[in-house]
Amino acid sequence: MSASEQPGRIMAGEMAEQPAVLRRILEQGAPRIREAAERITAKRPRFVLLTARGTSDNAALYAKYLLEVRLGLPCGLTSMSTTTAYGAKPQLADVLVITVSQSGGSPDLVASTKAAREAGAITLAVTNNADSPLAGVSEHHIDILAGPEKALPATKTYTASLLALYLFVEGLRGGDGSAAEVLPGLAEQILGRQAEVRALAARYRFAERMVITSRGYGYPTAKEAALKLMETSYIPALAYSGADLLHGPLAMVDNISPVIAVVPDGKGGEALQPVLDRLRGRGADLVVVGPRAQVEAASAGFALPTEGVAEEVQPVLEILPLQRLAYEVTIARGQDPDAPRALAKVTETR
C-alpha cells in the first residue's frame, strides 16, 4: 500500500497542521476578529444564543462558558427545530446569535440564522468558509482560517473555532487575548508525543464503551473527545459533566470500565476532584488528561503543559491528545479514520 493510500493519512496530516493554523489566526485573523467584536459591542447585546451541530456544537459550548464566566452575559444553546420545524418566531431584539459551522452549508443553520436576523437579532457566523450560505445570511462573519479540511472527522477546524471564539470574547471584554500566544508552541510539543498516545490507545483497542468526564472549561473537551471516538472507532463513548456523572451514571462504572477524565488546571479541575475520588473508590480504570500531578495519581494519562497557561485557553491543548487517541484506537481496530461509515463532510439537516 502506498503512503497516499494509508488509512488515516488525511486526518493525521490535518492534526499536524494545527500549530500552523493557530499561528495564522493569531497573526492574520486576530485584527478582523477584534473589529467584529467592537462592532457588536457597540450594539450592547443583552443575551447570547449559540447555534451549532456536532463538533461545532462543542465549540459553541466552550463559547458559552467564556461568555458567562468572562463577561457575565447569559447564554443559551438554541434548538433549531423550534424555528425550522415548528415555525416559532422568538423575539430576538438586542440578542446576539452566534452560529458556529465548519462549512456554513447546513440548511437548518442557515434557515435558523436567517430567521433570527429577521426577528431582530445581531447575527454572527463563525465558519471556515467566507463564501458559505451561512456567512451570506449573517450580519457579521469570522473566518477561522483553518484551510480545507478533507478528513471527515473535524480536527483543525475545532481548535481553530475555539481560538477564534476566545479572541472574539476577549474583544468583547476589551482584553488583549495575550493568554493565547503560548498555544501554537505548546500544541507543537503535544503533537510530537505520538508514542505516548499510542501506548494509551492499546488500553482501549477492545473497549466496549468509554466514559469521558470533566467540568468547567474542560466539559466541551469531554464531549468533543467522545464524538471523535464514536465517529472514528465506533466505540460508544459517553460524555458527562462530573456533576451529572454523580447523579446516576456513576452506577455503570466498575473496575473494567475505562474512564477518561479531562482535568483542567484551575477551578474546573478543583470542582472535578470529588468525582475523581469517587471513580477511584469504584476501582475505575481512570486515565487523566491534565496536569502532571493529576496524571501521576491516576491509572495512566497524558500530562499537559499547563503551568502558566490560563484555564480558559487550555481546551485548545486538551483536545489534541484525545484527537490522536481516537485516531490511534481506530487504526488499531483496523479501520480508516479518514472515512467513517455513513458520514458526510457536510451534514444537511433541516
Side-chain angles (χ1 to χ4, degrees):
M1 182 182 295
S2 68
S4 63
E5 296 173 325
Q6 287 290 333
R9 175 187 59 84
I10 301 172
M11 183 179 176
E14 289 171 353
M15 287 190 291
E17 288 179 39
Q18 289 175 105
V21 172
L22 298 175
R23 287 192 182 93
R24 188 183 308 139
I25 295 168
L26 290 170
E27 293 170 3
Q28 301 175 24
R32 280 173 274 181
I33 294 171
R34 179 171 293 278
E35 287 174 13
E38 288 173 351
R39 290 196 299 271
I40 290 170
T41 298
K43 297 179 181 182
R44 303 176 63 85
R46 58 185 172 85
F47 190 88
V48 181
L49 286 173
L50 293 144
T51 305
R53 297 280 192 203
T55 285
S56 294
D57 198 35
N58 299 326
L61 180 59
Y62 167 71
K64 184 177 188 293
Y65 276 93
L66 285 173
L67 288 158
E68 292 184 341
V69 174
R70 306 282 285 171
L71 281 177
L73 268 177
C75 297
L77 299 174
T78 60
S79 300
M80 281 168 276
S81 62
T82 60
T83 299
T84 60
Y86 292 93
K89 297 187 181 300
Q91 302 300 312
L92 297 178
D94 302 322
V95 173
L96 172 59
V97 173
I98 302 174
T99 306
V100 187
S101 171
Q102 300 149 42
S103 68
S106 186
D108 57 351
L109 295 172
V110 175
S112 62
T113 301
K114 183 174 183 289
R117 188 171 181 180
E118 290 170 352
I122 308 157
T123 53
L124 169 68
V126 180
T127 81
N128 195 38
N129 183 358
D131 297 321
S132 64
L134 179 60
V137 300
S138 300
E139 184 180 359
H140 305 278
H141 177 253
I142 289 173
D143 188 341
I144 64 172
L145 301 176
E149 188 175 59
K150 297 180 180 179
L152 282 174
T155 53
K156 64 178 181 174
T157 52
Y158 179 69
T159 49
S161 295
L162 296 187
L163 179 53
L165 288 163
Y166 167 75
L167 293 173
F168 172 69
V169 174
E170 280 294 284
L172 291 179
R173 64 188 292 271
D176 61 8
S178 58
E181 292 173 2
V182 299
L183 295 177
L186 294 177
E188 215 155 38
Q189 292 177 29
I190 291 167
L191 290 169
R193 294 161 58 189
Q194 296 176 15
E196 291 180 53
V197 182
R198 201 169 295 123
L200 281 179
R203 302 171 72 93
Y204 299 125
R205 180 176 180 181
F206 300 108
E208 294 184 2
R209 70 163 184 253
M210 294 188 202
V211 173
I212 308 176
T213 189
S214 189
R215 289 204 69 180
Y217 287 114
Y219 180 42
T221 306
K223 288 175 67 67
E224 174 61 11
L227 176 59
K228 283 292 152 288
L229 283 159
M230 287 189 288
E231 69 182 354
T232 56
S233 70
Y234 318 140
I235 297 172
L238 308 172
Y240 294 101
S241 156
D244 287 332
L245 186 64
L246 297 184
H247 283 266
L250 183 68
M252 71 178 173
V253 175
D254 53 31
N255 60 3
I256 59 170
S257 301
V259 179
I260 299 173
V262 179
V263 184
D265 191 357
K267 293 181 179 178
E270 293 169 11
L272 193 62
Q273 286 308 306
V275 182
L276 300 179
D277 294 340
R278 291 285 298 277
L279 288 168
R280 292 188 189 99
R282 291 193 60 81
D285 176 10
L286 179 62
V287 170
V288 165
V289 174
R292 183 165 297 281
Q294 295 287 349
V295 172
E296 290 172 351
S299 305
F302 188 99
L304 291 173
T306 56
E307 186 175 352
V309 181
E311 183 179 359
E312 59 268 20
V313 299
Q314 289 175 29
V316 178
L317 305 177
E318 291 164 353
I319 193 58
L320 299 176
L322 294 166
Q323 290 174 344
R324 189 78 199 188
L325 180 66
Y327 169 89
E328 295 290 354
V329 169
T330 305
I331 294 293
R333 289 164 72 97
Q335 293 148 197
D336 185 358
D338 284 344
R341 64 193 181 203
L343 297 182
K345 188 62 179 173
V346 179
T347 305
E348 296 193 354
T349 47
R350 294 183 183 275

